[in-house]
Amino acid sequence: MTTTTIRPDTDLAADPEPPWLSGNTRARRLRMRLGRGRSVPHLALGAVLVAGCAAGFLTVFASSDTRTEVLALSRPVTVGHVLDLRDLAVVEVAVDDRVPVIPASRSASLIGESMATSLPAGALLTQGAVGPAMVPAAGHAIAALSLKAGQYPPEVAPGAQVSVVATPTAQGAPSPAWAGVVTGVGTSAGESTTVVSVQLPRTQALEVAAIPVGRLALVLLAEGER
């Protein structure tokens, strides 16, 4: 007589699948056996690890978005403008260390300082924007144009991009033109002319200055169409 001992199922290899089972049936039985080996402690440990990774990511993300209080302009200013408290606004921004912004703590020291350039409202104030005027720029010169009403648009203001056009000396002759930037607009009481200062490349500024009064006009250009 042959004695057969049946032992409990201890591992996958101890319970071979009958050869007549289909592939799908074998897969289901394998998943059932694997499921019996799972435990609550393992699942809890996995949840803790996921939560820890998420918390670490949020900590790194928050630390990388460091914002600093810096100074910006609350209204547009032109070159030479003397700053007062109404011109300044405090904003919180994330700025690269290489950008020379001015911290909000220095607002009091800027009162009474002159603008070195013209800037629009909302622009961040940098170290180079305040101080001696940066006009004319290197390689440029400023020509003064005495203009009457109708020879320039009333919207012309410092910082505007313009084309200086000279009326031709002969009928049918081309009208020379030079692109420049307005740096100042001034009027004198009792006079019918307006003096507009225009920055141009040095050679062109000399050409414009040599043209007699009355033969020049300004054309206002769109931003970036010089």
Side-chain angles (χ1 to χ4, degrees):
M1 176 181 295
T2 302
T3 302
T4 303
T5 303
I6 301 176
R7 293 182 298 174
D9 182 14
T10 57
D11 53 40
L12 298 179
D15 187 16
E17 300 289 354
W20 61 80
L21 290 180
S22 65
N24 291 337
T25 303
R26 292 179 181 178
R28 284 197 299 271
R29 294 186 64 180
L30 178 60
R31 286 196 296 270
M32 292 174 62
R33 292 174 184 175
L34 291 177
R36 291 198 300 267
R38 294 175 182 171
S39 63
V40 173
H42 287 124
L43 294 176
L45 178 60
V48 171
L49 290 175
V50 171
C53 292
F57 172 77
L58 291 176
T59 302
V60 173
F61 177 78
S63 62
S64 65
D65 188 27
T66 304
R67 292 180 174 271
T68 306
E69 288 190 342
V70 299
L71 292 175
L73 290 172
S74 60
R75 55 185 180 181
V77 297
T78 58
V79 58
H81 173 78
V82 178
L83 292 171
D84 62 41
L85 195 57
R86 296 170 298 176
D87 299 318
L88 304 178
V90 177
V91 296
E92 287 188 358
V93 294
V95 184
D96 192 291
D97 293 337
R98 293 169 293 183
V99 180
V101 293
I102 300 177
S105 58
R106 285 192 50 199
S107 58
S109 65
L110 293 182
I111 304 304
E113 293 288 333
S114 299
M115 288 294 299
T117 184
S118 299
L119 291 174
L124 296 182
L125 273 177
T126 59
Q127 305 290 348
V130 181
M134 296 188 297
V135 290
H140 291 68
I142 296 176
L145 283 61
S146 181
L147 305 172
K148 295 183 179 182
Q151 292 181 317
Y152 66 96
E155 295 83 3
V156 166
Q161 299 188 36
V162 296
S163 180
V164 182
V165 181
T167 56
T169 55
Q171 187 175 3
S175 300
W178 303 266
V181 177
V182 174
T183 59
V185 179
T187 56
S188 299
E191 295 186 7
S192 60
T193 59
T194 299
V195 177
V196 181
S197 300
V198 180
Q199 177 177 274
L200 307 103
R202 184 176 180 277
T203 301
Q204 296 182 14
L206 294 174
E207 295 174 353
V208 169
I211 297 176
V213 175
R215 286 193 51 217
L216 292 174
L218 284 185
V219 176
L220 186 61
L221 302 178
E223 187 70 23
E225 292 188 359
R226 291 183 58 186

